[in-house]
Amino acid sequence: LELTRKKSMSKEVTLNSSDGKDFKLPLEQANLSETVKNLVAETGTDLPIPLPNVKGDILKLVVEFLAVQAKAEPAGEKKEGEAAKKKDVEWDTVTKIEQKTLFDLILAANYLDIKPLLDLTCRTVANKIKGKSPKEICEMFGVTEPFTPEEEEKVYKENPWLKG
C-alpha cells in the first residue's frame, strides 16, 4: 500500500494549452483543478490533457499558482483563517500582472474549476476598482459608452424610476 501511495504521488500529468504548449506537473497539483481531475479520471495520464480554452501564457500562470496552492494546502488538508490568508500573500504575482492577463486568468480559473484561483483573481479585480467612481471604472475597463441609445431607452422603459 505504501509503495502504491508513493507511486501515485510522484505521477505526473501533462497539460496541453490551446497554442500547443505542454506543461508537466505532479498529479496532486493538477487535481486541484476539478476539470483536470475529471479529465484524468476519464482518460488517464498517459497522454497530454488538451485544454482548448487556455492559452500557454495563462496556463503557465495557472501551473505556477497550483504549485503554490499545493504547498499551502497539502492534499486533503483544508486551512482556514490565517493560513488561508497566507497562501494568498505567497502568490503575489496576481497583483503584478496586467489587466487583460488577469481577466484571462479569471476565465481559465473558471473553466478549470479552481475555486481558490477564481476567488483570488476576482478579489484582485474588486480591490482595483474599490473606491473608484463609475467614470473611473469605465475608463479603467475601456468602456466609452455603457449603453447604445437603444439599450439606454430600453433600460429607462423597464426602470422608469431611473430618470428621477
Side-chain angles (χ1 to χ4, degrees):
L1 181 68
E2 189 62 36
L3 183 60
T4 308
R5 187 177 304 156
K6 281 184 182 176
K7 188 176 180 182
S8 70
M9 288 182 79
S10 65
K11 200 170 205 178
E12 282 192 334
V13 64
T14 302
L15 304 179
N16 181 264
S17 68
S18 62
D19 50 358
K21 295 178 183 164
D22 285 344
F23 296 87
K24 283 186 186 247
L25 64 156
L27 183 59
E28 64 199 33
Q29 290 176 18
N31 281 341
L32 294 172
S33 160
E34 290 298 318
T35 302
V36 172
K37 183 196 259 181
N38 293 335
L39 288 168
V40 166
E42 289 175 21
T43 63
T45 59
D46 295 337
L47 297 172
I49 305 287
L51 300 173
N53 294 347
V54 186
K55 293 184 299 181
D57 59 334
I58 301 302
L59 188 53
K60 181 180 179 185
L61 290 170
V62 169
V63 168
E64 181 185 318
F65 174 81
L66 291 174
V68 170
Q69 180 71 18
K71 286 179 189 169
E73 188 178 298
E77 193 178 308
K78 297 277 182 199
K79 294 186 176 185
E80 300 293 328
E82 285 303 308
K85 286 181 189 173
K86 185 179 177 202
K87 74 178 173 221
D88 288 348
V89 172
E90 286 179 34
W91 203 64
D92 61 350
T93 301
V94 74
T95 61
K96 298 174 185 168
I97 58 179
E98 63 183 55
Q99 186 170 291
K100 173 157 180 19
T101 304
L102 180 59
F103 289 144
D104 287 343
L105 196 54
I106 289 171
L107 293 173
N110 187 50
Y111 168 68
L112 295 170
D113 197 0
I114 307 170
K115 188 172 178 356
L117 180 57
L118 186 60
D119 290 347
L120 178 62
T121 52
C122 288
R123 187 169 43 252
T124 300
V125 171
N127 287 337
K128 286 182 181 215
I129 65 174
K130 189 185 293 182
K132 297 209 179 336
S133 71
K135 184 180 179 193
E136 290 171 315
I137 294 169
C138 285
E139 288 172 5
M140 181 184 225
F141 296 122
V143 177
T144 51
E145 287 294 322
F147 297 108
T148 64
E150 295 81 23
E151 291 171 328
E152 191 170 334
E153 185 181 324
K154 183 180 176 190
V155 167
Y156 284 132
K157 199 176 268 185
E158 291 173 358
N159 304 284
W161 56 270
L162 285 173
K163 281 192 172 180

